Amino acid sequence: MGKSKIKTFYNTIKYLKPVQIYYRLYYFIRNRFFKKSYKKQLSDGYFNLDWNDFIVYSNTYLGNNSFTFLNLSKDFENNIDWNFEEYGKLWSFNLNYFDFLNQTNIYVEDALKLIKDYISNDEVLKDGKTSYPISLRGINWVKFLSKHTVLDKDIDQNLYNHYQILLFNPEYHLLGNHLLENGFAFLFGGYYFKDEILYKQAVKILKIELKEQVLKDGGHFELSPMYHQTMLFRVLDCIQLIKLNVWKNDDLLLFLESTALKMQSWLKEVTFDNGDIPMVNDSSYSIAPTTEDLLNYGKQLGLPINQVKLSDSGYRMIKNKKYELFIDVGNVGAKYQPAHVHSDTFNFVFYYRNTPIVVDRGVSTYEKNEIRNKERSTDSHNTVKIGEIEQTEVWGGFRVANRAKVIELIEEGNSIQARHDGYKKINLFHTRKFELEEDSIKIIDKISKNNNYSQIAHFHFHPQINKILIKGNHVELLNENIKFVFSGGLIKIEKENYDYACGFNQVLKAEKIKVYFKTNLISNIKI
């Protein structure tokens, strides 16, 4: 390993919590040298739960052993390979989640056949026996078995065995949304089996992690609106579980309700009026329940929607009669778990009359390849890149080393100004100011001093923006009647194509502009 790689590795692990390092070492040694049986005989005396589905699941099981996940389909014909990895790790995980048990058009007989086939392959399962898939599958099996009043000792025993694996392998080495999913699963398992050990583990994880992971303004600390939707979905599910099934009488329900109130208020605030969420950090289409569905779910559970002022999540949403502007002036989320972070400080998303104009390109893959590296990089976002330096050093698919820090934030009147130190290694600092008017948005970029690097401001347009004219110092969107006028230290404007992610493994060709400038640039979006 070279010096630069050692430095990158050090700048990555120095942010980890001691508990993460401890459990990485503990699990490595234990699993390598000690074999443990996770089979525990299930006792009698428990019953199915009451359950209602308020969220419609996507149709991912197509019948006859055929599945579609992440916009990729596979027909297994006679024998399902539950370890199938030809389409990548995330596809394999989705196969093992069993979300399809709760889609509306699956027959109970077919669902049970899939479960029993899975059980028959238990000895050879790989990804399916890791903690994250066990967590999601556990919730899905409990929902399905409960709402269809299925009583099958073999299924329950297998489910219970997998809960024992999870009990001894909670994801403390990862923390973040992974450990939260473990906690949600423990709650469902505890209620389903009336198991005190599973329940105590659920309470411990949920109370500690939700307090830490849900910020003061209600945002989930990994700062992905998509993952926020998923985590809110789980919290709402837990609230329904406790309300419909009388078993415990403690303060967990009140705690979950207060958490959900904050989370749904934040989500409503950052969602565009047409229902879209900003596709920032690791966010993608058709993965999580929509904001509308989640807010309706909360309403069914008696949870009001309150107004919230965006603060410590680092996001801001400005709305008027003509446009909506989403701005990122925050730091890297979850310092010790930045797996879903992008290099996107001072990124913004701009909608005009409910139509996306300037967008985040989103993500199309979780595979550790050049596409993922590109989608996480600085020049894939609507911000400024200096030379070949990344504001935040993203690497290895889900790793982050040095990261930009916002060292100044001034919000007054109709302006927001911030400065970050992501380029301090070359002794430069980037300041961006947004000046907001009814008919215009002025973006002022300043680099701290003259230098020999190239400064480029990037603007990514939605694929439907297909008539872009560069004319002197301005760019016209002909169909939308919007003009971008550039001044200050403008050098030149270039147009190029990029791949806009409209889902996993699915992209559309779109256009962006690159604006080269010297030290200062004024970008005036005239509506």
Side-chain angles (χ1 to χ4, degrees):
M1 185 182 290
K3 287 184 178 180
S4 63
K5 289 186 177 180
I6 292 174
K7 188 175 181 180
T8 297
F9 186 71
Y10 169 75
N11 286 329
T12 301
I13 64 172
K14 72 181 182 181
Y15 292 100
L16 296 178
K17 283 190 169 186
V19 67
Q20 290 174 287
I21 298 172
Y22 169 81
Y23 272 95
R24 284 176 187 273
L25 293 173
Y26 170 67
Y27 285 153
F28 175 80
I29 295 171
R30 188 198 65 184
N31 296 337
R32 188 179 182 91
F33 298 106
F34 302 95
K35 299 297 181 182
K36 177 174 177 58
S37 173
Y38 296 105
K39 295 181 180 179
K40 181 179 179 182
Q41 190 61 38
L42 181 61
S43 60
D44 295 323
Y46 61 92
F47 303 93
N48 289 119
L49 304 171
D50 288 329
W51 186 258
N52 296 312
D53 279 335
F54 288 110
I55 298 291
V56 177
Y57 284 73
S58 300
N59 294 327
T60 52
Y61 179 62
L62 309 178
N64 299 318
N65 293 343
S66 181
F67 302 84
T68 183
F69 306 111
L70 311 176
N71 298 305
L72 296 174
S73 298
K74 173 65 178 177
D75 183 355
F76 288 105
E77 297 179 350
N78 296 323
N79 296 301
I80 301 173
D81 178 6
W82 297 102
N83 298 318
F84 180 78
E85 288 195 353
E86 186 177 325
Y87 292 161
K89 182 72 74 175
L90 186 59
W91 201 97
S92 174
F93 271 31
N94 273 268
L95 178 64
N96 284 267
Y97 293 160
F98 272 75
D99 280 351
F100 47 81
L101 290 182
N102 298 300
Q103 67 187 51
T104 55
N105 67 343
I106 191 169
Y107 293 108
V108 175
E109 296 77 11
D110 288 344
L112 288 172
K113 183 179 178 182
L114 293 170
I115 291 175
K116 293 191 175 184
D117 183 75
Y118 195 77
I119 292 173
S120 71
N121 285 275
D122 188 80
E123 294 299 321
V124 297
L125 293 176
K126 296 177 182 177
D127 290 336
K129 284 189 174 179
T130 57
S131 296
Y132 194 75
I134 287 175
S135 297
L136 274 62
R137 186 172 62 253
I139 293 172
N140 285 321
W141 281 26
V142 169
K143 286 182 180 180
F144 171 80
L145 296 171
S146 296
K147 68 187 178 186
H148 294 292
T149 60
V150 175
L151 298 173
D152 188 304
K153 194 62 181 282
D154 290 336
I155 294 176
D156 288 340
Q157 184 63 61
N158 181 267
L159 176 59
Y160 195 64
N161 289 344
H162 287 192
Y163 262 109
Q164 299 309 305
I165 296 175
L166 182 61
L167 190 62
F168 288 93
N169 295 275
E171 295 174 276
Y172 283 103
H173 60 303
L174 296 176
L175 298 177
N177 73 82
H178 277 251
L179 185 59
L180 253 188
E181 292 283 20
N182 301 161
F184 296 134
F186 282 130
L187 188 66
F188 271 79
Y191 263 78
Y192 185 72
F193 293 116
K194 300 297 183 288
D195 188 294
E196 294 286 348
I197 295 176
L198 297 180
Y199 181 76
K200 288 179 181 178
Q201 186 76 324
V203 174
K204 174 186 174 183
I205 291 175
L206 293 179
K207 285 195 171 183
I208 292 174
E209 293 304 316
L210 284 173
K211 283 179 182 177
E212 178 160 353
Q213 294 190 34
V214 178
L215 303 171
K216 292 179 181 178
D217 64 3
H220 182 257
F221 77 160
E222 291 185 24
L223 302 179
S224 157
M226 182 194 78
Y227 275 98
H228 181 100
Q229 288 175 322
T230 300
M231 295 300 100
L232 175 56
F233 178 32
R234 299 282 187 253
V235 174
L236 295 175
D237 270 354
C238 291
I239 292 170
Q240 184 194 170
L241 176 72
I242 296 173
K243 281 190 168 184
L244 288 185
N245 301 277
V246 178
W247 181 41
K248 292 293 181 180
N249 184 22
D250 53 27
D251 64 349
L252 182 60
L253 176 60
L254 290 175
F255 171 74
L256 292 171
E257 287 179 327
S258 66
T259 302
L261 287 173
K262 292 170 57 179
M263 293 184 74
Q264 66 181 17
S265 298
W266 183 91
L267 181 60
K268 184 177 187 299
E269 190 68 25
V270 303
T271 300
F272 292 101
D273 287 346
N274 71 350
D276 292 349
I277 56 170
M279 290 294 159
V280 293
N281 286 318
D282 274 355
S283 292
S284 190
Y285 292 99
S286 304
I287 299 296
T290 67
T291 296
E292 181 181 11
D293 286 342
L294 289 167
L295 297 183
N296 285 336
Y297 191 178
K299 185 177 180 180
Q300 293 290 327
L301 296 174
L303 300 174
I305 301 171
N306 301 320
Q307 281 194 321
V308 64
K309 182 178 180 181
L310 298 179
S311 56
D312 50 340
S313 62
Y315 293 144
R316 303 293 184 268
M317 177 67 89
I318 293 89
K319 297 184 179 184
N320 63 25
K321 293 179 180 179
K322 291 186 177 181
Y323 68 79
E324 297 164 277
L325 183 69
F326 175 87
I327 301 171
D328 180 0
V329 287
N331 293 317
V332 168
K335 286 184 179 180
Y336 55 84
Q337 176 51 294
H340 302 293
V341 160
H342 290 202
S343 181
D344 65 348
T345 306
F346 301 164
N347 183 30
F348 72 96
V349 179
F350 166 55
Y351 276 42
Y352 174 65
R353 297 194 186 281
N354 292 324
T355 300
I357 306 296
V358 179
V359 294
D360 193 286
R361 70 182 291 169
V363 293
S364 64
T365 183
Y366 272 4
E367 295 302 299
K368 297 177 183 179
N369 55 28
E370 286 305 309
I371 295 175
R372 178 149 178 80
N373 291 341
K374 183 64 177 174
E375 289 175 346
R376 297 179 77 202
S377 67
T378 304
D379 56 13
S380 286
H381 300 89
N382 305 306
T383 188
V384 171
K385 185 172 183 179
I386 302 179
E388 295 302 316
I389 309 298
E390 295 290 330
Q391 300 171 337
T392 291
E393 191 178 0
V394 293
W395 66 283
F398 296 93
R399 303 286 184 253
V400 181
N402 284 319
R403 63 276 311 257
K405 182 180 180 182
V406 175
I407 54 178
E408 177 187 66
L409 177 60
I410 302 171
E411 300 178 80
E412 50 188 19
N414 293 324
S415 71
I416 300 173
Q417 177 176 302
R419 183 162 61 113
H420 77 77
D421 67 357
Y423 298 115
K424 65 182 178 181
K425 66 173 66 175
I426 54 176
N427 200 28
L428 296 175
F429 298 86
H430 174 209
T431 301
R432 172 166 274 190
K433 184 177 183 180
F434 295 86
E435 294 183 352
L436 312 165
E437 301 295 340
E438 191 72 23
D439 296 317
S440 69
I441 300 168
K442 186 181 290 185
I443 303 172
I444 304 169
D445 289 301
K446 294 182 179 180
I447 307 305
S448 54
K449 64 181 180 179
N450 292 327
N451 60 84
N452 295 322
Y453 298 93
S454 63
Q455 277 98 190
I456 307 174
H458 298 264
F459 299 81
H460 296 78
F461 296 110
H462 190 272
Q464 69 186 8
I465 310 299
N466 51 26
K467 288 189 177 181
I468 303 170
L469 176 65
I470 299 176
K471 193 174 182 180
N473 72 330
H474 66 270
V475 175
E476 295 182 28
L477 310 185
L478 298 179
N479 289 339
E480 291 72 26
N481 196 27
I482 296 174
K483 185 182 291 187
F484 290 67
V485 180
F486 301 98
S487 58
L490 174 67
I491 298 174
K492 64 178 179 178
I493 306 170
E494 292 181 347
K495 183 168 63 172
E496 70 177 32
N497 294 327
Y498 79 96
D499 289 330
Y500 173 79
C502 49
F504 277 95
N505 303 299
Q506 200 169 59
V507 298
L508 291 173
K509 290 297 179 184
E511 292 183 304
K512 63 178 285 188
I513 56 172
K514 298 163 63 176
V515 183
Y516 294 76
F517 66 99
K518 291 181 178 178
T519 313
N520 298 328
L521 177 69
I522 299 173
S523 308
N524 198 351
I525 305 174
K526 296 186 176 182
I527 302 167

